[in-house]
Amino acid sequence: MSRPARIVLTPGEPAGVGPELCVQLAQRPHGASLVAVADPQLLAERAALLGLPLNIREYDPANPPPPAAAGTLEVLPIPLRRPARCGRLDPANAGYVLACLDAAVAGCLEGHFDALVTGPLHKGVINDAGIPFSGHTEYLAARCGAAQPVMMLATEGLRVALATTHLPLREVADAISAELLERVLTILDHDLHSRLGIERPRILVCGLNPHAGESGHLGNEELRIIGPTLERLRARGLQLFGPLPADTLFTPQQLEHADVVLAMYHDQGLPVLKHKGFGRAVNVTLGLPIVRTSVDHGTAVDLAGSGRADPGSLFTALDYAIRMAGGRNNP
C-alpha cells in the first residue's frame, strides 16, 4: 500500500470499557490514519475521567486525515440516544451502537477505510431493546451481503476458527453439514492465503464428538459428514488434517506445523486460545469483502471508568488490521 492504512474504529457499548480503550489507543501514534465512529462527547468525558489528553477532530471524508499525533483522534460523530453512564447498560443506546457499526461498514464498502476494528458490544442489551442480534460476526455479514462469515481468533502461535459461532450447544450437531464445512474450509483456506499471505495453509480439523467419535461408538458425525467432506476437499488441493480428537489436537506436537485449527463450536476451541493469549488475542472475521478485526473480550462494564481495563487486545486488533490492510504477510 503506497499510503498509510485508513482504519475505522467502533468503541462498542458506551457503558463499557470500549470508549476508554479508544482513548488509550489514541495516546500513541500508529502509522495509520485512525477514525473513531462515536459520540465525541462520550470520548471526551471518558478521557477526562481517566485524566488523559484527547484532542478530538471531526472526520471529513473529503479530506482523509494523515496519521494522527499522540493524543489526537479523528471522530465521525454519531450522537448517543441517551447520556451514557459507566457500568449502567441502557437499551436506549442499542440503536446508537448499531448506527456506529453501520456507518463504519458503509465507509469500508465505499472505499473510505481499509479495515474495521470493533470494540466490545453487549448482545443482551441490544436484544433487550427489541432488536434481534446474535453477534458482531453475523451482523457484519448481513450488512456486507456475505453468505458465510467465518470467525477466527488468533494469538501468538495459535489461530482457531469456528465452524459454528453463537449457537446453543444442543443445536450444534444439527448445524454441522457437509455444505457448511465445505463453505467454511474453502473460505478459511482462501483468506489465510489472500489476507495473511500463507501459501498453502495447513488446517487441523476437530471432530465434533469426544475422541472424534471413537469409530462411531460416541457419535457418527465424523464418519458421515466431517471425514467425507475433508476427503473431497483434499482432492481439490486443500491441506486438511482430521477429523482429530479435540482433547489431543491442542498439543505442541500437533500444532507445531499448523496454520489454523477449525473447531466445530465456540467453546471447543476458544477456551484454549484465550488461555494461551487472553488480552493479546484478536478476533478476525473472514469471508467478508472488508477486513474486520476485534478484541477478544467483552464489555467489562464493572471496569468501565476505572482506568484498570487492559487495552492490549485492542492494540493487537489494530496492529492486525493495519497489516492485513497493507497486504503484509503473516501477521
Side-chain angles (χ1 to χ4, degrees):
M1 185 174 291
S2 59
R3 57 166 174 76
R6 296 172 183 162
I7 311 297
V8 64
L9 171 67
T10 55
E13 169 55 49
V17 297
E20 65 203 68
L21 296 182
C22 293
V23 171
Q24 290 174 277
L25 198 67
Q27 301 306 305
R28 303 182 192 173
H30 300 282
S33 299
L34 186 62
V35 176
V37 184
D39 188 310
Q41 184 63 31
L42 170 66
L43 297 176
E45 289 173 356
R46 204 62 66 89
L49 193 61
L50 271 58
L52 294 174
L54 187 65
N55 174 30
I56 294 175
R57 299 194 305 218
E58 185 168 341
Y59 168 68
D60 178 4
N63 296 287
T72 297
L73 185 61
E74 298 275 339
V75 177
L76 194 166
I78 301 286
L80 282 163
R81 304 299 195 261
R82 195 148 62 190
R85 300 179 63 184
C86 292
R88 302 275 185 95
L89 294 171
D90 186 348
N93 281 323
Y96 158 80
V97 172
L98 298 183
C100 291
L101 268 181
D102 292 346
V105 170
C108 289
L109 292 174
E110 292 165 7
H112 298 299
F113 306 116
D114 302 310
L116 165 64
V117 177
T118 58
L121 50 69
H122 194 286
K123 291 188 283 290
V125 76
I126 296 174
N127 282 284
D128 288 344
I131 305 170
F133 186 87
S134 59
H136 261 130
T137 301
E138 298 84 357
Y139 187 83
L140 292 173
R143 287 294 172 184
C144 291
Q148 182 65 62
V150 176
M151 182 177 176
M152 181 181 80
L153 270 76
T155 191
E156 186 176 354
L158 180 62
R159 299 182 185 95
V160 175
L162 302 177
T164 63
T165 52
H166 301 113
L167 283 180
L169 190 56
R170 68 173 61 249
E171 297 178 17
V172 169
D174 290 340
I176 299 296
S177 67
E179 295 77 16
L180 171 71
L181 291 178
E182 182 167 341
R183 290 196 304 268
V184 169
L185 285 164
T186 300
I187 289 169
L188 194 53
D189 179 76
H190 175 272
D191 282 17
L192 286 176
H193 174 68
S194 63
R195 301 278 198 198
L196 302 184
I198 301 171
E199 187 61 32
R200 290 195 66 214
R202 291 172 54 90
I203 303 172
L204 307 189
V205 180
C206 294
L208 173 66
N209 299 294
H211 301 177
E214 195 76 74
S215 300
H217 297 289
L218 293 175
N220 61 16
E221 286 83 2
E222 290 79 10
L223 295 176
R224 289 189 303 107
I225 301 169
I226 304 173
T229 302
L230 300 188
E231 283 297 324
R232 286 195 302 275
L233 293 175
R234 288 188 193 107
R236 286 167 37 185
L238 276 68
Q239 287 203 100
L240 306 174
F241 303 85
L244 301 168
D247 63 342
T248 54
L249 183 157
F250 290 101
T251 57
Q253 184 176 3
Q254 290 273 27
L255 294 173
E256 184 177 2
H257 301 294
D259 294 303
V260 67
V261 173
L262 179 67
M264 291 296 110
Y265 55 93
H266 190 281
D267 283 12
Q268 184 181 53
L270 296 194
V272 181
L273 184 132
K274 292 190 177 185
H275 174 73
K276 181 176 176 63
F278 189 71
R280 304 179 309 280
V282 57
N283 183 347
V284 182
T285 305
L286 305 177
L288 301 180
I290 66 174
V291 172
R292 180 261 175 161
T293 68
S294 189
V295 295
D296 68 348
H297 58 76
T299 55
V301 292
D302 56 321
L303 294 180
S306 70
R308 302 198 311 271
D310 184 352
S313 182
L314 186 59
F315 277 87
T316 304
L318 175 62
D319 183 58
Y320 224 85
I322 291 170
R323 287 185 280 180
M324 289 177 72
R328 303 175 193 170
N329 290 350
N330 298 314

